[in-house]
Structure formats: C-alpha cells, structure tokens
Amino acid sequence: MKAIRRFTVRTVVPAQISALTRLATNLRWSWHVPTRALFESLSPELWEKSRRDPLAMLSALSREQLQTLAADPDVVARVTAAASSLEKYLSQPRWYQSLGADAPECIAYFSPEFGITEVLPQYSGGLGILAGDHLKSASDLGVPLIGVGLLYQAGYFKQSLSKDAWQQESYPLLDPDALPLTLLREEDGTPVQIHLPLPDNRLLRAHVWRADVGRVPLLLLDSNVAENDDAARGVTDRLYGGGGDHRLTQELLLGMGGVKALRVHARLTGTAAPEVFHTNEGHAGFLGIERIRELMDPAITPSPLSWSEALAAGRASTVFTTHTPVPAGIDRFPRSMIEHFFAGSLAPGVPVPEILALGAENYDGGDSEVFNMAVMGLRLAQRANGVAKLHGVVSRGMFSGLWPGFDVADVPITSVTNGVHVPTWIDPQLAALARDRFGAEVVDGPDWSKVYEVSDADVWAMRRRLRFALVEDARARLRSSWKKRGAADAQLAWTDSALDPDVLTIGFARRVPTYKRLTLMLRDPARLKALLLHPEHPIQIIIAGKSHPADDAGKKMIQDLVQFTDDPEVRHRIIFLPNYDIAMARTLFPGCDVWLNNPLRPLEACGTSGMKAAINGSLNLSVMDGWWDEMYDGENGWAIPTANTGADETERDDIEAAALYELLETQVAPRFYGEVVAAAAGAAGPSQAHDGGLPAHWISMIKHTIAHLGPAVSANRMVAEYVQRLYQPAAVAGRLARAENYASVRELAAWIDRVRPAWQEVHVEHVESYGLTDEPQIGETLQVRAHIMLGSLNPADVQVNVVYGTAGESDDLSSTQTLALDSVQDNGGGRYQYAADLLIDRSGDFGYGVQVLPRHASLANPAELGLITTA
C-alpha cells in the first residue's frame, strides 16, 4: 500500500549533544572539514548511507543510538568544541569589519540558483556554483550579505542514460522539512506569505525558507502553498523549467517577491535593510521594478518619488553582473507578455510604458517585439560587470548598442574575474598537508608559495593518492550507470579494472551546450583511440555533464560520446559518468592530472571548473577563453590554439581538434611520463610508468600552478573585489541618493530630464590646433581649441575632452589617453571655446579627437546616460 502523504519528522537530540542540530542546519559543515569529520565519526555507516548529509544522518539515528552518544564524554566534548568553533566563526570580526563606516551594512545578492552542497540541489551549473561560492566567501570574509533565490520543488534534474545512451531526466520531489532549511514565520508562528498579484485577478503566494550559509542567510521563495491554485503552486516546480508565462512568473517572484521577502526578514529579525542590491544575471532583474514601486508608493515613501527620480535612486545602489557572452542564453519575453502582466496591480503606480522601455531592444539589430532581461538589468544598475577580463571585452561589444556613438572600449561594463571557494573545492588531504606543514592560515591565504618547500616525492605521492581515490569512485559510478542501462552483474566484471591509478588522467565535466564542444575530442576517433592506448604514454579520460532537457543537440553530443566510450577496446580508458553534481566533483577535480576545456572562443564567460582543478595541483589544457585567457602563463598548463576566424565551422573544429591531439601526443603525455629523476628513498607510489623516477618538470608545473593560481582564483579575492570596486561605491551613492528626503536624486532626475532633450543641440563646430613644428617630436606641446555649441545647456552640464593616441590606417585611435579641455570661454549664443595644452608623449602616427559628454556629480561614469558628441 502506498502512502497518501509523506513528510519528514526531525529527531529530538538529547540536550548533551543538542548542538548537533545547529551544526547540521548551518551549511558551514559543507566546507568545514572538522565538522564533517565529527558527523562521520558518530556513525561511519550511517554517514555513507545518508549520502554525507548531517541532517539526514541525525534523522536516521535511533533514540537508543542518540542516548548512547549523549552518554559518551568524548562525544559530548567534541560536539561542544565544534559548537564553540561555529559560534566564534559566526560572531568574531573578520576582514570586512576592518573597512569602516563606508562599507554597506547589508548587501542583497539575487540569483536564480545557488550551488552550496549536493544536499540542497538548487543549481544546474556554473552560475549556481559561482553564487554558492560567493555566499561562502562572503561568510568567511564577514561580508554582511543576504542571498535571495527560489526553492525549486524538484531542483534541476537527475540524469541517467538509456541503453542507447540517450540522456534521461527524472525529477524526484524534495521535502523542505528534510532539508537544512527553516521556514520564516511571523511572531505568532504563522508562516510568512509573500503575495504577488497576477493577471486575471489571480494571486501568487509564496513561503520563505531560510538556509544559513555560515554567517550568510539565504532566503528561498517557495510557491508550493496550499492556498495557491495549481498553476501558482507549480511556479517553483523546477529550475529553468517550462517557458513563456511560467518562466516569466518565476522571474517576477524571484525579483519582486525577493524584495518583499527581504523587507519581511528585516522586520522579523531586526537586521539592517540592504543598502546594495546585486543582480546576478538578468533573471532577477525585476527586483529593480519592485524597488521603484516602493519609492513611488506614498504608503511606503512619505514623499513619493516620480518615475525618473525612483529610477535614479534605485540605479545608484544596484550592481548587475552579466554571465553570458551568448545572446541565446539571455531570457527574452514577448513585449506583449510583459505588458499583460504589468497592466494590473503587479506594480501599481509604475508606468507600464516606462517598464517596457527598460527591456526594449531599441538599437541596431534589436527586435522591437521582445523584452530583454539583460538589457533591463543594465538599465536598472549604475554599475555592471562581466566575469573575466575577456568576458568584459565581449560584453562591452555585445551590449554596445545601448551606448551608440561610444567606442566599444568606453561602454561602462567592467569585469571582476570569478573565483572558487577554496575550502569547498580543495581536497581535504591537500588541506591537511598544508595545515600540518605550514599552519591552517595557508589554505586560502594570500601566499601559497610554501608549496615549493614540499618535496617532489611528497607532491607526486599526494597526486597519486588523489588519482587513486578518483579511480575508485569512478569505477563505482561507472558500474552503477551500466546497471541502470540494463547490464547484468555478470557483464560488469571489467568495471573493477577500468581506469588505472598510474595513467595520465584527464577530466572534462560541465554543462553540455553545443558551444562547449563536448565531442571535439571525437573529431578523429582513430587518433583519440591511439592516444588512449599508447604503449608508452597512455591517457585516460573521465567525462561528465548534463544537457538541458530541451537541448536535443546537447543530448546527441552526449550520446555520441557515450557510444564511443562503450567500445570494449577503449572503455577501460575513457568513461562518461552520469548525474554530474557537487558530490562527484569532490573527487573529480583533485584526482585529474589535466583539466580539459575546449569551448568555442570567446563564448566561455569564465569557466571556473578549471580553477577548482588548479587549486588541487591539476594542470589546465584549455582554449584561451574565459579566465584562462588572462591567467595562462606557459608553466601552469597548455593553451589550445584557435583557428583563424575565416575558417568555417567544420574546418575550425578539425583544426582545433588536431591541435588538441598534437598537444596531448607531443607535450602533455611525454612530460607526464618522460622527464625523471631518481625517486627519493622510500617515496610512496610513483607511477610504474616512470620506472621508479619522478617527472621533475611536471611536478614543477604543479607547484607553480598552486603557488600562482591558488590566490588568484580564490573567491575571497573575487568577493573582496566586488566589495571594494562595486559594493562600497554603490553604498555611498545610495546613501547620497537617500539623504535629505532624496534631494540629490530629485535634482539628478530633473537634470537628466533637462539634458536628454537638449542634447540634440550639442555639437562640435570646429577644432583648431597650434604649436607644433614642421617635424613634431616627443615633448612638444599641441595647443587644442574646440568650439562647441551647447545650445540651452551650460558648461557645468558637460565635460569636453581631447582623446589622443596612436592613429591606425583608418584613423582609428588605439592606446588612447584623455585630457580634459578645462579652459572655457563664452562666445555667446550658446557657443563656448574649450582649450588645453596637449603634450606629445609618443612617436609614430599620432592622432586626436574631441568628445563632449554629460557631467554630473551623481553619475558613476560619463557614459552612463549614453549621450556623446564627437569630432
């Protein structure tokens, strides 16, 4: 008989060890090795059976087992020590507390997914893992961040393979009561409800669950509320599920509902309201509309602001991060759909035409019938960034239509290169080695150079232990996968010897959209097979990844790859592991010698998987894209050459695959096996292929990688950059905007409303220059005079610059510098002469131009309004 209802009953833990409940529900355990070790020690068998989930393990312990543990003085002492460690972590000042009063009191971080632990499966790939790492490092640094997302009833999906290797998805439902979450409740104990009016007089209700990520609360909105109709209950059914109205409603709940949840949380906890709002990708962009609604609502803001004033106030304290260089990866909705949702009471008082204008693609190549979420995100934020230096360049080009007339380099989108949370992703064995040799502060500290003090023998022995752990885990997963595909136990003896802990091991794991080119390695199957089976320098490859359920092209790539791995001749050397998740990653990243990444450049925004491998001493083999484009130095791995842009798709992939094979055959594998010195006496476990020697050059690359990339790829570095470059300036701007009943914002909005229509009158009438000899030399001075028509504007409204640099064949300037023309003469009739002396600082072809930009103290960037006049 089947149950008609299912729910989870949490264990009552004896008082002596009651702190175990708090330790299990604060997700610090997911990266704090001593806390995980404590739970494992209570019952190693249950720890594995519960899939290393502390809360599930506590629920599985019987009352008798709990009483026995509570009666053990050693267990009580260890639980007390762990609880004390957590309390100190939560309460003691950290890096952020040294920044002073300019640092924001609270920062809200919105994301559609958060990858914190496999126990809370609310992530699909890199965006979610990055968001989870952002929260963890914010916690470690003491940053007063609060995360906002959605609680999906089935998370993303579990992946398996059919007999013919086609991806299959399943969606097991999650029970929030069995997760490390607490339901946000009003003071009378009733669950908090967030309300969002929908078209046709419908109401979307959502509960708010809280997860504690160390010091950082994470609020997750859940529409599975009994009072909702069936469609509303299903809004948070799956991550990136559905389309059309369903997807839009998800994003409205995330953005607008998320702001409402923050307000309730601040009221109930007495904590500070957010001063800065960080929109992590366009999915959460509607948070800006809700903040504007608040500022225009007289019931919330006693002296309500107009649309333009509220827009300026909201923008001042908003940060927007774009994560995709692929236009197809941006959510775009029919303009009519947005109009339909906002025509009712969703944002009363907010003019719908202005909302529609925020997401309008009113630029060359844009579609007038769609509403673009990334475009709205950029227009609602005063500060924006990409996630790697190259991605910043790509993003400036991708969105340059929003700033017509500006050079692409001047588009106001900066970059903060992603990082990874080191305590989460570094293998515990490596962390223990660093702690035992050099002290705990070495792990994720600013200086990783002490790795050079570790002997080559110890480094090589550690790498083999990590590789061996990966091989064992991969064999078990491989066997399970084959059984799910219908194989009998009698057919699977070969899986016990699949892979070899002494063979060069390459990892490739990520989402499987077509641009990441999962099957590039299959362009020449015979050559790949020869590399796998090389008699002296064999390689083995472990592959994992999920394709979006609606992406048949991605699924076909997985099928093609798996059918190649099914070949009995090579299946012991190349395997595909289904259901890639955080648990699999914990052995995959440390155990691989080389991490492979071959996207189509420049479509990889950052690609943090290679960072996770690098902190464990793996070397990267990657196309020069994402983070690798800025951090590859020739000794931390290899760069796969890219085909010239003139090649068609087939030729391009053939060329780049051939380059990949060449690198593996002539550089990577020989270096792993070839250069040897005598092994230190008693050194453990050198590869048998080395005949007892150690690969000196390879080990030197491992040490170089750890020493140089360790601090560079750390999420602590990333979060500190966000704080100093984006959050603090946004907080200062937001405070200025709110001061004296939004006086500066009201003035700024009036100024913008005056300047925009008047800008059409602004033009450069002519430019004169004097002072150079017939053969100019470095050090001479050029006197520049620009005659500018400002019309109804005045000199205080504008900034006039001379931009100079190296002039190319088509007169395009490069390596430019800017000099303000700050000497102003009123010639009457709205005409002004601007002047400055320009020092010639370079030889060769020299050129200059003049630009006029709007100027106001509240603008974060002169390009912010998208207004420019040039000559």
Side-chain angles (χ1 to χ4, degrees):
M1 182 176 178
K2 292 186 177 181
I4 61 172
R5 186 183 173 204
R6 177 178 175 175
F7 54 90
T8 300
V9 180
R10 290 193 177 180
T11 302
V12 177
V13 181
Q16 301 94 314
I17 55 173
S18 61
L20 285 173
T21 301
R22 189 182 188 203
L23 291 167
T25 52
N26 190 303
L27 294 173
R28 182 199 184 212
W29 64 259
S30 67
W31 72 88
H32 190 244
V33 174
T35 303
R36 292 208 304 272
L38 167 65
F39 279 104
E40 182 178 13
S41 71
L42 300 180
S43 174
E45 182 181 353
L46 273 182
W47 177 248
E48 293 300 325
K49 190 175 180 181
S50 65
R51 298 184 178 179
R52 304 183 182 187
D53 177 349
L55 203 58
M57 195 191 82
L58 285 180
S59 298
L61 287 167
S62 67
R63 179 175 297 182
E64 293 75 15
Q65 287 173 307
L66 287 168
Q67 293 294 343
T68 300
L69 291 170
D72 186 332
D74 178 61
V75 170
V76 173
R78 287 189 290 124
V79 171
T80 301
S84 175
S85 169
L86 177 61
E87 183 57 36
K88 288 179 181 177
Y89 175 83
L90 297 177
S91 60
Q92 289 184 346
R94 306 183 79 81
W95 169 80
Y96 190 86
Q97 282 64 50
S98 69
L99 298 182
D102 281 350
E105 286 189 76
C106 181
I107 301 139
Y109 181 89
F110 285 66
S111 180
E113 52 176 302
F114 288 90
I116 297 163
T117 164
E118 65 272 26
V119 169
L120 193 62
Q122 302 291 306
Y123 59 94
S124 70
L127 178 67
I129 299 299
L130 180 279
D133 283 6
H134 196 105
L135 265 56
K136 292 174 186 177
S137 279
S139 175
D140 288 346
L141 295 173
V143 180
L145 202 75
I146 180 166
V148 181
L150 300 178
L151 181 67
Y152 303 98
Q153 298 159 33
Y156 194 39
F157 66 87
K158 287 189 177 295
Q159 178 196 45
S160 59
L161 299 174
S162 67
K163 190 171 184 178
D164 65 352
W166 191 256
Q167 174 179 291
Q168 297 178 315
E169 301 93 23
S170 60
Y171 296 88
L173 293 179
L174 303 171
D175 177 7
D177 290 317
L179 301 174
L181 302 170
T182 54
L183 187 61
L184 197 62
R185 296 180 181 274
E186 297 286 357
E187 293 179 358
D188 63 2
T190 59
V192 164
Q193 273 198 11
I194 302 302
H195 294 163
L196 215 61
L198 298 180
D200 304 320
N201 296 316
R202 295 174 60 232
L203 188 65
L204 173 62
R205 303 168 180 86
H207 287 156
V208 183
W209 296 86
R210 171 173 165 156
D212 289 307
V213 186
R215 300 164 70 112
V216 172
L218 169 60
L219 306 182
L220 299 171
L221 283 79
D222 172 18
S223 73
N224 189 17
V225 175
E227 296 92 329
N228 279 335
D229 59 39
D230 288 345
R233 292 190 71 167
V235 165
T236 56
D237 56 353
R238 300 173 182 177
L239 175 59
Y240 303 140
D245 282 14
H246 183 274
R247 184 72 166 265
L248 176 58
T249 309
Q250 277 192 346
E251 299 189 2
L252 289 166
L253 180 60
L254 172 60
M256 301 184 74
V259 173
K260 294 175 185 287
L262 284 169
R263 304 309 186 205
V264 176
H265 183 266
R267 171 172 59 82
L268 293 175
T269 61
T271 53
E275 288 192 87
V276 175
F277 288 75
H278 185 172
T279 310
N280 191 41
E281 194 49 89
H283 309 284
F286 288 116
L287 73 87
I289 304 299
E290 176 63 16
R291 295 182 66 208
I292 288 171
R293 185 199 67 80
E294 293 178 333
L295 292 169
M296 297 181 70
D297 186 348
I300 298 174
T301 306
S303 297
L305 278 60
S306 67
W307 162 264
S308 56
E309 293 166 349
L311 174 61
R315 292 185 73 253
S317 55
T318 301
V319 174
F320 175 73
T321 299
T322 174
H323 283 265
T324 177
V326 186
I330 296 172
D331 278 343
R332 301 160 84 221
F333 297 102
R335 178 186 170 91
S336 58
M337 184 183 294
I338 303 295
E339 191 170 17
H340 176 63
F341 269 79
F342 280 98
S345 55
L346 185 58
V350 182
V352 176
E354 300 289 2
I355 295 174
L356 295 172
L358 289 172
E361 294 186 353
N362 54 349
Y363 45 79
D364 289 345
D367 184 344
S368 62
E369 296 303 314
V370 303
F371 184 94
N372 186 306
M373 293 296 290
V375 166
M376 177 179 70
L378 288 165
R379 286 174 170 152
L380 282 171
Q382 196 171 41
R383 291 162 181 83
N385 69 284
V387 292
K389 288 181 180 178
L390 178 59
H391 181 233
V393 173
V394 172
S395 298
R396 288 189 285 276
M398 183 174 171
F399 295 109
S400 61
L402 297 177
W403 289 271
F406 284 85
D407 290 343
V408 171
D410 293 329
V411 168
I413 301 175
T414 185
S415 64
V416 176
T417 301
N418 283 345
V420 298
H421 184 247
V422 173
T424 292
W425 300 109
I426 195 168
D427 189 88
Q429 294 184 68
L430 276 174
L433 175 65
R435 184 170 56 250
D436 294 345
R437 294 283 189 91
F438 311 118
E441 72 279 359
V442 170
V443 177
D444 209 19
D447 181 6
W448 290 44
S449 62
K450 287 184 178 293
V451 68
Y452 290 116
E453 299 175 23
V454 181
S455 72
D456 285 4
D458 285 347
V459 168
W460 193 245
M462 173 64 74
R463 289 298 315 153
R464 187 181 189 277
R465 288 196 295 273
L466 297 176
R467 197 184 310 115
F468 186 82
L470 169 59
V471 167
E472 283 198 318
D473 184 60
R475 286 171 177 169
R477 293 177 183 274
L478 180 65
R479 184 181 184 89
S480 174
S481 173
W482 273 80
K483 289 190 71 171
K484 288 178 181 177
R485 294 175 65 191
D489 287 333
Q491 298 173 293
L492 296 177
W494 66 272
T495 61
D496 295 335
S497 58
L499 306 178
D500 184 333
D502 291 316
V503 166
L504 169 61
T505 303
I506 298 172
F508 183 104
R510 51 190 44 86
R511 290 185 305 110
V512 189
T514 52
Y515 77 88
K516 290 182 183 281
R517 299 193 296 183
L518 171 72
T519 52
L520 187 70
M521 65 182 77
L522 298 183
R523 297 296 292 186
D524 186 342
R527 193 165 181 187
L528 175 59
K529 186 175 291 189
L531 288 167
L532 294 167
L533 303 175
H534 195 284
E536 297 175 358
H537 304 147
I539 66 172
Q540 58 193 12
I541 309 176
I542 301 175
I543 305 156
K546 294 179 176 179
S547 180
H548 187 280
D551 183 5
D552 283 349
K555 292 181 182 180
K556 182 63 168 62
M557 296 175 85
I558 291 175
Q559 184 181 48
D560 291 344
L561 189 284
V562 174
Q563 288 177 343
F564 178 86
T565 69
D566 286 349
D567 182 348
E569 190 178 2
V570 296
R571 65 187 182 186
H572 64 298
R573 288 278 165 79
I574 181 169
I575 66 172
F576 180 88
L577 301 179
N579 207 39
Y580 179 45
D581 66 359
I582 291 174
M584 184 191 297
R586 284 211 181 92
T587 56
L588 186 56
F589 290 123
C592 289
D593 300 293
V594 172
W595 195 258
L596 175 62
N597 189 28
N598 48 230
L600 180 60
R601 189 181 192 271
L603 301 184
E604 182 82 279
C606 184
T608 55
S609 61
M611 295 178 171
K612 300 179 185 83
I615 61 174
N616 287 286
S618 300
L619 307 180
N620 274 266
L621 173 60
S622 177
V623 167
M624 292 289 280
D625 201 5
W627 74 280
W628 192 237
D629 183 71
E630 68 193 77
M631 296 191 191
Y632 166 68
D633 66 9
E635 278 298 311
N636 50 17
W638 295 267
I640 302 172
T642 52
N644 64 58
T645 55
D648 63 33
E649 183 177 317
T650 299
E651 183 185 4
R652 176 202 67 211
D653 285 356
D654 285 342
I655 291 170
E656 294 183 15
L660 170 60
Y661 298 139
E662 185 75 13
L663 281 170
L664 287 170
E665 187 174 23
T666 65
Q667 295 190 42
V668 181
R671 190 166 299 176
F672 180 85
Y673 292 107
E675 298 176 27
V676 298
V677 296
S687 168
Q688 294 177 358
H690 293 88
D691 297 324
L694 300 177
H697 193 169
W698 189 278
I699 294 171
S700 74
M701 292 178 72
I702 291 173
K703 292 181 180 181
H704 176 85
T705 292
I706 292 174
H708 290 263
L709 287 183
V713 304
S714 165
N716 280 10
R717 183 271 310 154
M718 173 190 73
V719 171
E721 278 195 55
Y722 272 107
V723 167
Q724 294 164 335
R725 294 176 50 200
L726 296 168
Y727 295 162
Q728 285 185 287
V732 171
R735 290 169 188 170
L736 179 63
R738 294 189 300 274
E740 299 180 14
N741 193 24
Y742 295 94
S744 67
V745 160
R746 298 178 197 271
E747 186 276 326
L748 172 63
W751 178 84
I752 292 174
D753 288 344
R754 177 172 61 84
V755 168
R756 276 200 184 279
W759 197 259
Q760 61 185 347
E761 305 171 29
V762 177
H763 60 275
V764 181
E765 294 190 326
H766 65 279
V767 179
E768 305 163 344
S769 60
Y770 311 93
L772 293 184
T773 61
D774 291 340
E775 295 182 1
Q777 296 182 357
I778 293 176
E780 291 190 19
T781 299
L782 177 69
Q783 299 165 0
V784 180
R785 306 287 182 266
H787 297 266
I788 311 295
M789 165 57 80
L790 294 184
S792 60
L793 300 182
N794 60 66
D797 296 324
V798 304
Q799 177 175 324
V800 181
N801 300 322
V802 57
V803 180
Y804 61 96
T806 302
E809 290 184 4
S810 59
D811 293 332
D812 290 328
L813 295 177
S814 60
S815 303
T816 58
Q817 292 180 268
T818 299
L819 175 68
L821 298 175
D822 50 14
S823 175
V824 184
Q825 176 181 310
D826 187 349
N827 291 335
R831 291 178 168 82
Y832 297 84
Q833 176 184 287
Y834 287 77
D837 293 340
L838 171 60
L839 180 69
I840 305 298
D841 65 350
R842 69 194 70 192
S843 59
D845 293 324
F846 187 94
Y848 70 91
V850 171
Q851 62 180 199
V852 187
L853 297 162
R855 176 172 59 186
H856 193 281
S858 295
L859 296 180
N861 186 291
E864 188 175 319
L865 300 184
L867 301 176
I868 189 172
T869 298
T870 60

